[in-house]
Amino acid sequence: MSHQTPYLVFSGTNSRYLAEKICQSLDCPLGQMNIQHFADGEFSVSYKESIRGRDVFLVQSTFPNSDNLMELLLMIDAAKRASAHYITAVVPYFGWARQDRKDKPRVSIGAKLIADMLSTAGITRLITMDLHADQIQGFFDVPVDHLYASSVFTQYVKDNLPLDNLVITTPDVGGTKRASAYSKYLGVPMVICHKSRLRANEVAEMRVIGDVKGLDVLLIDDMVDTAGTITKAADLMMAEGAKSVRAIASHAVMSDPASDRVDRSALTEIIFTDSIPYSKKCAKVKVLSVADMFAESIRRICSNQSISSLYVI
């Protein structure tokens, strides 16, 4: 690889599609790695070129299964042992983020455990996007650049949705702060969905606080897993007299039967970023790329420039 750039970008197996787009935006080649798999499911990671004294950026989201996290940890350890100067983990989707506190007795705080594992492996910086809980940044003792997909989404909303008839909402009270930011930025009203759960991934009851009659509703969330909450919210909005319902969410976890639920729901469309690869077929799903945003962050970090101007809201 050419040594013209002050940094090298490498990718784990399942985030390669995004790393290639980031490198295209940076106008640099993607670094070559060798990942060898053994019969028992174990694997080993090695770099095909010298990274001694270089700043390396390792692109890998930690979405299920756990192999993606393990691969990232081995990439970090290998880079540390190969004498890389700085090791930045670029984790567009930070998994286990829903386990950010003890919400009942005798549970793990999984997000803190993952933070400790990444730090112990040897990262000097983390770049991530739309954490499920902002306070996870404080679980790290290294700098965390927490990007927001809002710059990508707000541009899409302005270009494609009727702002004069739009209302912002959130499928649960936890996302009120995020929805409020969109509401203020776009200058449109906001309503709230209140839900109660029987257990994880199962919504018991939901009701709308506010009026959506005759309006185009835009649901805002950070991630969609089984799509139970967001589709129930969409159907409820239509029952309350909404003209149409769309949704935007940063991370397309989309565990089965999410795609079928979205297909059958009242949603006109649901817009995600490409932080996680979405390969299932669903006509209502649209994917916007965040590669340029991550590329610009890498560029600015390497030249010691501020990245705060990348944040729209």
Side-chain angles (χ1 to χ4, degrees):
M1 181 187 282
S2 164
H3 280 227
Q4 298 304 307
T5 58
Y7 51 82
L8 298 170
V9 180
F10 295 91
S11 171
T13 305
N14 290 325
S15 289
R16 190 179 175 93
Y17 70 98
L18 182 58
E20 285 172 348
K21 286 190 269 188
I22 290 171
C23 286
Q24 198 174 356
S25 185
L26 287 168
D27 195 23
C28 73
L30 180 62
Q32 297 302 304
M33 299 198 64
N34 188 38
I35 298 171
Q36 182 184 0
H37 289 264
F38 301 102
D40 63 352
E42 193 177 310
F43 49 88
S44 69
V45 168
S46 61
Y47 293 88
K48 288 186 178 179
E49 60 196 286
S50 173
I51 57 172
R52 183 177 295 275
R54 306 299 300 279
D55 295 350
V56 297
F57 291 83
L58 310 178
V59 182
Q60 179 79 314
S61 284
T62 59
F63 53 94
N65 60 38
S66 301
D67 281 2
N68 294 298
L69 172 63
M70 193 63 201
E71 199 174 272
L72 176 60
L73 291 169
L74 291 173
M75 286 162 66
I76 295 163
D77 187 65
K80 178 176 71 177
R81 295 176 192 281
S83 303
H85 182 222
Y86 283 118
I87 303 166
T88 301
V90 181
V91 186
Y93 171 71
F94 185 91
W96 287 272
R98 284 173 281 186
Q99 300 176 49
D100 62 307
R101 65 198 184 284
K102 282 190 74 173
D103 54 354
K104 58 187 175 188
R106 299 175 294 281
V107 295
S108 161
I109 302 180
K112 171 60 175 162
L113 175 63
I114 304 304
D116 288 347
M117 289 165 75
L118 290 170
S119 298
T120 301
I123 65 167
T124 43
R125 178 183 290 271
L126 173 75
I127 307 175
T128 188
M129 182 183 81
D130 284 337
L131 287 166
H132 187 67
D134 285 356
Q135 68 266 22
I136 291 171
Q137 296 170 74
F139 294 174
F140 289 86
D141 290 328
V142 298
V144 175
D145 294 304
H146 184 207
L147 308 180
Y148 299 95
S150 53
S151 57
V152 175
F153 285 139
T154 49
Q155 192 58 51
Y156 180 84
V157 171
K158 283 179 182 175
D159 293 344
N160 296 281
L161 302 188
L163 287 180
D164 56 340
N165 198 49
L166 197 65
V167 62
I168 300 286
T169 186
T170 172
D172 57 37
V173 176
T176 305
K177 184 182 171 189
R178 186 182 293 106
S180 175
Y182 276 85
S183 168
K184 284 177 187 166
Y185 179 78
L186 294 167
V188 298
M190 180 181 116
V191 301
I192 295 171
C193 258
H194 183 267
K195 73 174 178 189
S196 55
R197 285 191 188 275
L198 286 172
R199 56 188 72 86
N201 291 136
E202 193 174 322
V203 180
E205 155 188 54
M206 188 179 278
R207 62 180 182 270
V208 181
I209 303 169
D211 184 24
V212 296
K213 198 161 189 175
L215 297 174
D216 295 296
V217 175
L218 181 63
L219 284 156
I220 312 269
D221 212 347
D222 67 313
M223 62 186 285
V224 175
D225 187 352
T226 61
T229 301
I230 208 151
T231 53
K232 193 164 186 172
D235 294 343
L236 179 61
M237 294 295 168
M238 292 304 283
E240 293 280 324
K243 185 181 173 186
S244 71
V245 188
R246 292 173 178 82
I248 57 177
S250 302
H251 308 297
V253 180
M254 295 294 278
S255 311
D256 287 334
S259 294
D260 289 337
R261 282 178 172 167
V262 169
D263 255 337
R264 294 195 307 266
S265 74
L267 285 166
T268 302
E269 66 176 347
I270 184 163
I271 303 115
F272 295 113
T273 75
D274 55 355
S275 63
I276 299 176
Y278 179 74
S279 54
K280 298 185 178 74
K281 294 284 180 281
C282 179
K284 293 184 177 182
V285 170
K286 181 171 181 61
V287 178
L288 306 176
S289 185
V290 287
D292 288 345
M293 181 174 74
F294 276 95
E296 185 59 27
S297 300
I298 290 171
R299 197 180 282 117
R300 292 188 184 198
I301 286 164
C302 288
S303 57
N304 296 313
Q305 292 178 287
S306 168
I307 65 166
S308 60
S309 61
L310 294 176
Y311 303 153
V312 175
I313 51 176

